[in-house]
Amino acid sequence: MRWLALASIAIGLAASAQDLTSSPAHFREGERSLISRLRLPERLADGDYLVRCAGKAMSSGTLRDVTCHRGEPGDFDRLIERIVVATRKTKVTPARYNAKATRVWFDFSVRVIKRGADVQVASYPHHFNNASLYGESYSAPQRVAASTKYIAKCGTIALIMAAASIDADGNAHEATILKSHNEE
């Protein structure tokens, strides 16, 4: 019986160690969190604001090259500016691949709901694609950020919006083109 108990503990520890070898970047709680660093604009009108952002989550836990865009029409410029400024002082738990902290492209959203003096702010590690399927706490797929930027020059600019389900191995399923627009 004692052997069985020790084997169960060893298996549990091995499973815990295995879970730590590869994991996505995610926001930290507390004083270095995005929410604690965010200072909302003083004249923010009542409403439900969804701002989608992406940037590099560095192996040190800092965020770099963050860009944000509004989820729907409205006066978001000051809010977007404040979110980008807050990311400069935010720490995230870095992604891990084969137990090593790894630099990844990190998609996230910030939702602000303001009704009079009542303000609710939340951050999410995704852009709400498949939230109805996986819930609000799932983490969007993250790609390893290469150290070299590859830029190709071509005569045509294409904007393509696509959606797909990504499985645990990173394979896309049920891919569909939502919108396409070409510019010469």
Side-chain angles (χ1 to χ4, degrees):
M1 192 65 157
R2 180 179 280 176
W3 177 85
L4 182 60
L6 289 174
S8 297
I9 292 171
I11 290 170
L13 290 173
S16 296
Q18 184 178 12
D19 291 343
L20 295 177
T21 61
S22 296
S23 60
H26 59 275
F27 286 111
R28 293 183 183 179
E29 302 286 329
E31 103 180 35
R32 295 293 303 268
S33 71
L34 176 62
I35 300 306
S36 70
R37 298 293 179 169
L38 180 59
R39 302 292 173 252
L40 296 176
E42 292 177 19
R43 294 191 175 132
L44 186 65
D46 284 1
D48 186 348
Y49 301 90
L50 178 62
V51 178
R52 294 178 173 100
C53 304
K56 277 191 242 177
M58 307 302 283
S59 56
S60 63
T62 58
L63 290 171
R64 296 278 186 261
D65 302 328
V66 173
T67 59
C68 297
H69 63 279
R70 50 184 148 238
E72 59 272 336
D75 185 18
F76 285 78
D77 293 342
R78 284 293 286 159
L79 179 59
I80 289 172
E81 179 184 316
R82 295 285 179 96
I83 290 169
V84 171
V85 167
T87 63
R88 295 179 189 147
K89 300 174 184 174
T90 297
K91 282 286 203 177
V92 297
T93 299
R96 300 192 83 66
Y97 182 70
N98 290 335
K100 182 179 177 193
T102 304
R103 179 178 47 219
V104 295
W105 288 104
F106 180 51
D107 292 341
F108 62 96
S109 298
V110 177
R111 173 165 255 150
V112 178
I113 301 172
K114 183 175 184 295
R115 304 278 184 261
D118 183 37
V119 179
Q120 299 172 14
V121 182
S123 59
Y124 304 91
H126 55 76
H127 287 168
F128 285 91
N129 300 326
N130 295 321
S132 60
L133 182 62
Y134 299 117
E136 290 187 355
S137 63
Y138 85 96
S139 184
Q142 297 176 1
R143 298 154 316 282
V144 173
S147 58
T148 305
K149 291 184 180 181
Y150 296 97
I151 300 172
K153 197 171 188 182
C154 61
T156 303
I157 298 172
L159 171 64
I160 299 172
M161 295 178 68
S165 295
I166 309 295
D167 64 23
D169 297 322
N171 299 313
H173 301 278
E174 303 169 19
T176 57
I177 302 297
L178 304 174
K179 188 177 184 182
S180 176
H181 176 74
N182 291 334
E183 295 178 6
E184 294 291 332

